[in-house]
Amino acid sequence: MPRGIPLLKDELDIVIPTIRNLDFLEMWRPFFEPYHLIIVQDGDPSKTINVPDGFDYELYNRNDINRILGPKASCISFKDSACRCFGYMVSKKKYIFTIDDDCFVGKDPSGKPINALEQHIKNILSPSTPFFFNTLYDPFREGADFVRGYPFSLREGVPTAVSHGLWLNIPDYDAPTQLVKPRERNTRYVDMVLTIPKGTLFPMCGMNLAFDRHLIGPAMYFGLMGDGQPIGRYDDMWAGWCTKVICDHLNLGVKTGLPYIFHSKASNPFVNLKKEYKGIFWQEDIIPFFQAVTLPKECTTVQECYIELSKQVKEKLSKVDPYFDKLADAMVTWIEAWDELNPAGAAVANGKA
Amino acid sequence: MALEHIDDSEVDIVIAALQSDLTSFLNAWRPLFSRFHLIIVQDPDLKGELKIPQGFDHRVYTKSDIDQVIGPTTSIVFSGYSCRYFGYLVSRKKYIISVDDDCLPAKDNDGNLTNAVSQHLANLTTPATPFFFNTLYDPFREGADFVRGYPFSLRSGVDCALSCGLWLNLADYDAPTQALKPEHRNLHYVDAVMTVPAGTLMPISGINIAFNRALVGPALFPGLKLTGEGKLRWETIEDIWCGMCVKVICDHLSIGVKTGLPYVFRSDKGNPIESLKKEWEGVKKMEEIIPFFQSVRLPRTVTTAEDCLLEMAKSVKDRLGGTDPLFARAAEAMVEWVKIWKAAGASHSTLGV
């Protein structure tokens, strides 16, 4: 197995939510072993999660979350992988890579195993270009550049806050699509990375995701899902819409594309439908809300942007369902908890509005 | 997704002849072009007769044809690459495909010759999705679909007006970029098509392009002629200027622009260092026009491509015309073009919003 250069090994944490076992780490060992893992155990806290030998990790179950956050633990989902955002909060590193425990090492068209973490790092450490679309995609990739007509004044780019990776094999479809196309597999390896333009929203999948915690961390709240909640499978979506709006406001970049991982497990579409069902209707109101959101110039930190967003969620989405009222409160609780656990970072202006 | 069936008689292939001998060019494209009618427009500056191999259903338009149809005009110059717009004017077909005469069919990553014509037509006859970004790119391609979190109300998409293809070998870089990396060639075949989001600006290259003439025909026009404009692409920005206008118009009319496949293989030509002197003007002009294009808005009441272009011309004259006679002339050319288009009875009924 080829080894990539362990870039940023002291600056990056790998956050993994799990309820089962972490056998999948064996396949990732050549790429992950140098890094510190934060494992967030969902579900029954009395169960023991087996972590393969040789990994440096910390593990948190529900009891730990309750102990550490006290009453603020109410903002962290239970019985849903959304609980992973607790890992973002307790991390002390600059970068986070998060991956699901049914995601394995993919292969590129030449058959070579893909070092997903290395690609995420390359994406995050090179600028984004959200203000003008480059038709040859990420101009900072080897072998690419800005095309004719791309203004020189925009070629420096902006810092990249998020690197959104993709999946071969089981695609990330919603339940209705899964039901209609149970056999469809994503076999198309699209060899590119691109910046999602400013003002454009996208569905952010949390299966294979990296971000700069210092630049955008507090926006990566994965919402209220799972036990006791009317909705599931919208955790990463919610975080993605909030994150994109805030990145656009602060002139930070979001990239999507490479790297691919191999997604092995297709979840049960009927179970998924029950979880998503309300979301499918609600997103018709949620999307216009996010498309129309504007944040005041005075909001110059992620936390300020996020609190402002929570106010607007309460004001404009509560009428869709009382759930959003609860969610808006949870968003505030999340920021309070984040600032409590990350005091030095609380006042940092993460970007320019 | 089943493709709308297109009759060969609905397509014109428009070629601007900047070289006299089109034998090897047309022979290379023969398997893909021979079914269609070709409109070949000879650069008015090119003397002598064109050499065209047998077996093509084609018509050649020369300077005298242009003079006859257009009549005397001071603001539009059809020389060089701009001569192809005359081809767009005289065509009466629904779809136009246009490639530069120094481009050949490209091979994909498996070494198979690709069909740029059928790919352009597939792009144009499947919906575009400009209002929300799909992370698996064009959801209408085989083997792909909308991902989880993509709002259902946006899944029917909108008509695709423009298909912007790419280039292997000599990419469409500007002279400074190519001069800095003279040996650099684009070897990167990216297997994707995607919709460029609404509100996002991009440099639309004229080298490999196709469009729905019924939807946007008049919006592709010869407008911005640099003082030192030459016969190499990196000595021009007329297509970039036109493309920015078209994108604004498409966004206004809620129709789509796709980018990505197909690729063409662009032959080596010219010396970027020699061209640098001429090309700087274009590079400088781009800086002046970006703020304009980022902020220009068309009135709601304007619902046809012709009227959109007239409004754009007004805005160009008001906001850029005063600073530089180049833009004042471009505005005049745009108005002139709409007159010519109407006089030539060139419109199908254009899409209203």
Side-chain angles (χ1 to χ4, degrees):
Chain A
M1 283 269 209
R3 281 178 176 271
I5 304 157
L7 298 165
L8 311 179
K9 67 176 175 66
D10 298 321
E11 297 171 71
L12 184 145
D13 276 338
I14 302 180
V15 172
I16 306 165
T18 188
I19 54 166
R20 31 186 167 237
N21 59 60
L22 292 170
D23 293 348
F24 88 116
L25 282 177
E26 278 308 334
M27 201 190 184
W28 287 103
R29 190 184 285 278
F31 306 121
F32 286 5
E33 209 171 27
Y35 297 89
H36 179 71
L37 311 182
I38 296 180
I39 296 157
V40 185
Q41 179 183 344
D42 194 20
D44 181 2
S46 65
K47 190 167 169 216
T48 311
I49 301 287
N50 240 340
V51 183
D53 287 333
F55 285 99
D56 167 39
Y57 70 95
E58 54 196 284
L59 187 147
Y60 300 92
N61 61 28
R62 190 72 205 182
N63 295 336
D64 300 313
I65 295 171
N66 290 338
R67 175 177 48 83
I68 292 168
L69 293 184
K72 296 198 181 74
S74 60
C75 73
I76 303 295
S77 302
F78 184 47
K79 288 198 179 152
D80 195 285
S81 62
C83 65
R84 75 175 81 210
C85 63
F86 177 78
Y88 309 158
M89 194 193 280
V90 296
S91 166
K92 298 285 171 272
K93 305 284 175 54
K94 180 155 159 58
Y95 302 99
I96 298 278
F97 169 54
T98 185
I99 186 169
D100 280 12
D101 61 10
D102 60 353
C103 294
F104 292 83
V105 177
K107 288 200 166 91
D108 71 18
S110 72
K112 185 172 165 228
I114 301 166
N115 185 344
L117 190 46
E118 188 180 74
Q119 182 64 54
H120 275 302
I121 290 170
K122 281 186 188 160
N123 293 348
I124 284 234
L125 293 184
S126 58
S128 292
T129 50
F131 307 120
F132 209 82
F133 187 87
N134 192 47
T135 46
L136 284 184
Y137 316 115
D138 189 346
F140 297 101
R141 276 193 84 201
E142 208 180 292
D145 213 315
F146 291 97
V147 298
R148 177 175 56 103
Y150 203 106
F152 273 78
S153 58
L154 295 178
R155 293 192 188 199
E156 209 179 290
V158 296
T160 302
V162 181
S163 167
H164 177 261
L166 296 174
W167 349 272
L168 292 168
N169 195 47
I170 308 288
D172 189 24
Y173 289 159
D174 51 52
T177 310
Q178 267 183 296
L179 285 164
V180 169
K181 296 179 166 189
R183 289 191 202 279
E184 186 152 277
R185 299 288 178 264
N186 185 25
T187 54
R188 183 175 287 128
Y189 183 93
V190 179
D191 189 6
M192 68 138 126
V193 184
L194 63 91
T195 298
I196 301 181
K198 178 169 177 162
T200 300
L201 291 174
F202 77 113
M204 184 181 85
C205 173
M207 257 197 267
N208 171 20
L209 181 73
F211 59 92
D212 184 322
R213 217 175 137 271
H214 289 180
L215 284 183
I216 200 63
M220 283 286 183
Y221 173 48
F222 272 41
L224 290 173
M225 305 280 145
D227 206 50
Q229 306 299 341
I231 188 175
R233 285 172 53 88
Y234 272 86
D235 51 335
D236 42 5
M237 297 297 136
W238 183 261
W241 297 325
C242 293
T243 290
K244 186 59 168 58
V245 161
I246 293 173
C247 281
D248 285 352
H249 178 76
L250 297 177
N251 290 336
L252 300 171
V254 175
K255 290 186 181 176
T256 188
L258 300 183
Y260 283 88
I261 47 87
F262 184 93
H263 184 210
S264 67
K265 192 170 174 291
S267 38
N268 184 306
F270 295 99
V271 170
N272 289 344
L273 188 56
K274 280 201 187 131
K275 291 181 182 174
E276 288 172 9
Y277 148 81
K278 290 207 163 139
I280 287 173
F281 292 94
W282 290 349
Q283 75 190 8
E284 297 299 330
D285 289 298
I286 295 171
I287 297 308
F289 164 76
F290 279 106
Q291 282 171 333
V293 152
T294 53
L295 298 169
K297 251 197 213 293
E298 297 76 48
C299 294
T300 57
T301 67
V302 178
Q303 290 91 327
E304 284 168 3
C305 291
Y306 203 76
I307 297 288
E308 173 61 31
L309 205 50
S310 73
K311 286 190 196 138
Q312 296 192 31
V313 167
K314 199 178 257 276
E315 194 187 303
K316 298 191 177 127
L317 288 178
S318 294
K319 55 180 180 284
V320 174
D321 192 277
Y323 166 76
F324 291 100
D325 201 50
K326 264 192 350 182
L327 180 60
D329 290 339
M331 288 167 77
V332 175
T333 306
W334 160 262
I335 295 294
E336 287 168 358
W338 181 284
D339 284 348
E340 214 175 275
L341 263 56
N342 301 280
V348 171
N350 293 305
K352 303 249 172 348
Chain B
M1 197 102 200
L3 293 181
E4 187 187 307
H5 173 73
I6 304 161
D7 212 75
D8 294 350
S9 63
E10 292 180 82
V11 181
D12 266 339
I13 311 234
V14 175
I15 307 294
L18 269 66
Q19 54 180 327
S20 307
D21 190 351
L22 294 177
T23 315
S24 51
F25 167 75
L26 283 175
N27 278 336
W29 284 100
R30 189 184 290 275
L32 306 181
F33 281 4
S34 57
R35 298 161 48 179
F36 303 100
H37 177 70
L38 268 55
I39 290 178
I40 301 174
V41 187
Q42 182 172 349
D43 179 0
D45 300 334
L46 189 66
K47 306 283 176 260
E49 235 180 76
L50 297 180
K51 231 176 135 201
I52 293 167
Q54 300 274 21
F56 288 96
D57 167 27
H58 72 281
R59 177 152 169 204
V60 177
Y61 295 87
T62 63
K63 184 177 188 311
S64 57
D65 296 306
I66 297 174
D67 289 342
Q68 195 176 20
V69 172
I70 303 294
T73 157
T74 50
S75 43
I76 302 181
V77 185
F78 285 95
S79 80
Y81 294 103
S82 294
C83 67
R84 69 201 162 107
Y85 295 106
F86 183 79
Y88 302 166
L89 178 73
V90 297
S91 167
R92 289 292 180 269
K93 304 291 175 64
K94 186 170 180 193
Y95 301 103
I96 294 211
I97 299 173
S98 189
V99 297
D100 281 4
D101 66 2
D102 56 0
C103 295
L104 303 169
K107 288 194 176 132
D108 65 17
N109 289 323
D110 297 324
N112 301 317
L113 264 184
T114 59
N115 188 336
V117 174
S118 63
Q119 183 66 58
H120 271 308
L121 293 175
N123 293 349
L124 290 173
T125 54
T126 50
T129 51
F131 306 118
F132 207 81
F133 188 85
N134 192 47
T135 48
L136 284 184
Y137 316 114
D138 190 345
F140 297 99
R141 278 191 85 195
E142 208 182 295
D145 211 312
F146 291 97
V147 296
R148 174 176 58 99
Y150 202 106
F152 278 79
S153 62
L154 295 179
R155 295 192 188 196
S156 34
V158 296
D159 288 332
C160 181
L162 212 63
S163 167
C164 307
L166 296 173
W167 344 269
L168 291 174
N169 193 50
L170 201 68
D172 192 13
Y173 292 142
D174 51 49
T177 306
Q178 191 73 68
L180 209 64
K181 309 179 187 176
E183 304 307 316
H184 176 70
R185 297 293 178 268
N186 185 26
L187 307 172
H188 203 183
Y189 183 96
V190 178
D191 187 9
V193 184
M194 70 185 75
T195 299
V196 183
T200 298
L201 291 175
M202 63 186 283
I204 294 182
S205 166
I207 294 173
N208 170 19
I209 195 167
F211 58 97
N212 182 324
R213 195 179 167 284
L215 282 182
V216 285
L220 280 95
F221 60 91
L224 194 77
K225 187 173 162 58
L226 297 175
T227 327
E229 183 170 287
K231 303 295 185 192
L232 295 168
R233 275 293 184 189
W234 52 47
E235 294 168 356
T236 69
I237 55 165
E238 59 84 13
D239 51 346
I240 308 297
W241 171 264
C242 167
M244 305 267 274
C245 294
V246 171
K247 183 60 167 60
V248 168
I249 291 171
C250 285
D251 287 351
H252 176 78
L253 297 177
S254 292
I255 49 184
V257 174
K258 288 188 186 177
T259 189
L261 300 182
Y263 282 84
V264 293
F265 183 97
R266 195 164 167 245
S267 311
D268 287 307
K269 194 162 110 178
N271 183 333
I273 297 168
E274 296 295 321
S275 298
L276 258 179
K277 276 200 178 108
K278 289 179 187 177
E279 170 56 12
W280 276 120
E281 192 194 358
V283 166
K284 275 186 270 176
K285 294 303 170 206
M286 284 307 298
E287 298 302 330
E288 291 171 45
I289 67 182
I290 295 309
F292 166 74
F293 279 104
Q294 281 171 335
S295 59
V296 71
R297 297 285 178 269
L298 301 174
R300 238 177 228 276
T301 47
V302 176
T303 58
T304 66
E306 290 97 329
D307 290 342
C308 284
L309 195 58
L310 290 173
E311 280 299 323
M312 287 289 314
K314 237 186 259 167
S315 295
V316 170
K317 184 167 176 220
D318 291 341
R319 292 173 55 186
L320 294 173
T323 61
D324 192 327
L326 188 77
F327 298 122
R329 274 199 300 277
E332 276 169 27
M334 289 155 80
V335 173
E336 185 91 36
W337 175 255
V338 176
K339 282 199 193 117
I340 292 168
W341 187 276
K342 285 180 174 165
S347 272
H348 295 259
S349 59
T350 46
L351 180 76
V353 176

